[in-house]
Amino acid sequence: MSQNENSNKTASDYVGDYLAVLKHERRLSDHTLKAYQRDIKKLLDFFDSKGVLLWQGINPHNVRLFAASLNAKGMNANSIKRILSSGRGLANYLIKCGILKNNPFDDVRAPKGEKRLPKTLSVDQIVSLVELDADDPLSYRDKAMLELFYSSGLRLSELCGIDLNDLDLAESIVRVRGKGSKERDLPVGREANQAIRNWLLQRNALPIKDFEALFISKLGKRISTRNVQERVKYWAKRQGVEMHVSPHMLRHSFASHVLESSGELRAVQELLGHANISTTQIYTHLDFQHLAQVYDDAHPRARGKSSQNAKPEIKNKPE
């Protein structure tokens, strides 16, 4: 691209070009692209309000002021980190276009925030949730979705995107498309397998319009993410699970329960479709919390009040 062509482009043009690159080269979803667009808009609105000249006027000092303004508004550290990451990606694109020489975001870090461990359900809560009494096509569908969420640790978008030809119930395998359209084959548990079979027997009772989709709405179209969220929330309340339950919580529960039982962090990483092991390591903290609770409840000199006065029971005298 010539310098003259560059000079005729507006900030919005460059943002549009960058989002097009993300869509076609990185194959990001529309949902993710909209998040990038919102983040970049916040950044550009701030610079515009400060009279900063785009793009040469953006420097590390201005970026730090931007991050500080987000922090002052009460935005959490993870959100600020995500917005700065969006800006960093855009700046790298502008460097490739010859608009910037250096990336002003490289030396700017978001404030450190408190790490929040994902909430999970206990095994008993999971059982209460998935063992619903199905008596019509929609409840059979919902039972199959809940079982599959917990059986295979799916993301919400992955479950909604499953087609009939992605299933191999004879081999108990489902193929899903994760982030970046990366495909992976996952095992389907016995209960989930049977729940899906039961749903398929009921599926034709609905006015099917999307014949490829595994899960459809009552109108026959591929089920939406919002619909699934509402159905999970509905069944959690109806089944007596006294906490807000989301599809992502079922995924977290799957991961923590598998790790707790197996200790195989790499296997959990592959099942979840995480690109980096560091993302999966959050579940080691959940596992440690469980072990710490067991210790507190059982050890005679642990912190638990009930255990402070307990004496160990010796059934067999050592020889």
Side-chain angles (χ1 to χ4, degrees), residues 126-132 139-154 159 174 187-198 215 232 250 254:
I126 288 288
V127 171
S128 296
L129 178 60
V130 300
E131 291 192 349
L132 60 93
S139 58
Y140 275 102
R141 178 203 65 189
D142 294 349
K143 181 176 176 64
M145 292 193 303
L146 291 168
E147 288 280 11
L148 189 55
F149 266 131
Y150 182 63
S151 165
S152 306
L154 303 183
L159 180 129
V174 62
V188 176
R190 177 171 52 84
E191 297 293 340
N193 188 310
Q194 186 59 54
I196 293 171
R197 290 176 185 272
N198 293 340
F215 295 115
V232 170
L250 298 179
F254 159 84

Side-chain angles (χ1 to χ4, degrees), residues 1-3 5-7 9 14 54-56 91 93-102:
M1 182 180 294
S2 68
Q3 189 66 32
E5 288 176 317
N6 281 337
S7 64
K9 283 200 166 190
Y14 282 108
L54 297 177
W55 298 97
Q56 285 77 5
Y93 172 74
L94 294 173
I95 290 172
K96 291 180 180 179
C97 292
I99 304 302
L100 292 179
K101 291 184 179 180
N102 301 300

Side-chain angles (χ1 to χ4, degrees), residues 232-282:
V232 170
K233 182 179 177 181
Y234 166 82
W235 283 111
K237 185 176 181 179
R238 180 163 172 174
Q239 295 297 102
V241 181
E242 297 180 353
M243 60 190 301
H244 175 73
V245 181
S246 67
H248 211 57
M249 189 182 292
L250 298 179
R251 176 172 160 89
H252 287 317
S253 302
F254 159 84
S256 60
H257 294 171
V258 171
L259 181 60
E260 183 180 315
S261 299
S262 68
E264 296 290 340
L265 188 63
R266 288 287 181 185
V268 173
Q269 177 192 3
E270 291 187 21
L271 290 169
L272 293 176
H274 287 161
N276 299 312
I277 192 71
S278 59
T279 309
T280 320
Q281 285 174 333
I282 185 68

Side-chain angles (χ1 to χ4, degrees), residues 14-25:
Y14 282 108
V15 172
D17 291 346
Y18 175 56
L19 293 175
V21 168
L22 293 179
K23 180 176 182 177
H24 297 296
E25 294 186 8

Side-chain angles (χ1 to χ4, degrees), residues 155 158 174-176 183-186 270-273:
R155 297 181 177 94
E158 292 172 345
V174 62
R175 175 163 294 177
V176 299
E183 293 186 346
R184 67 188 191 282
D185 291 338
L186 296 172
E270 291 187 21
L271 290 169
L272 293 176

Side-chain angles (χ1 to χ4, degrees), residues 188-238:
V188 176
R190 177 171 52 84
E191 297 293 340
N193 188 310
Q194 186 59 54
I196 293 171
R197 290 176 185 272
N198 293 340
W199 152 239
L200 292 177
L201 293 175
Q202 300 286 326
R203 184 172 176 272
N204 288 334
L206 298 177
I208 302 176
K209 295 178 182 177
D210 193 329
F211 290 91
E212 293 183 350
L214 171 60
F215 295 115
I216 57 177
S217 69
K218 64 181 180 180
L219 299 178
K221 298 180 180 180
R222 183 183 298 274
I223 197 166
S224 68
T225 56
R226 177 58 62 87
N227 195 347
V228 175
Q229 289 171 328
E230 290 300 321
R231 298 306 291 173
V232 170
K233 182 179 177 181
Y234 166 82
W235 283 111
K237 185 176 181 179
R238 180 163 172 174

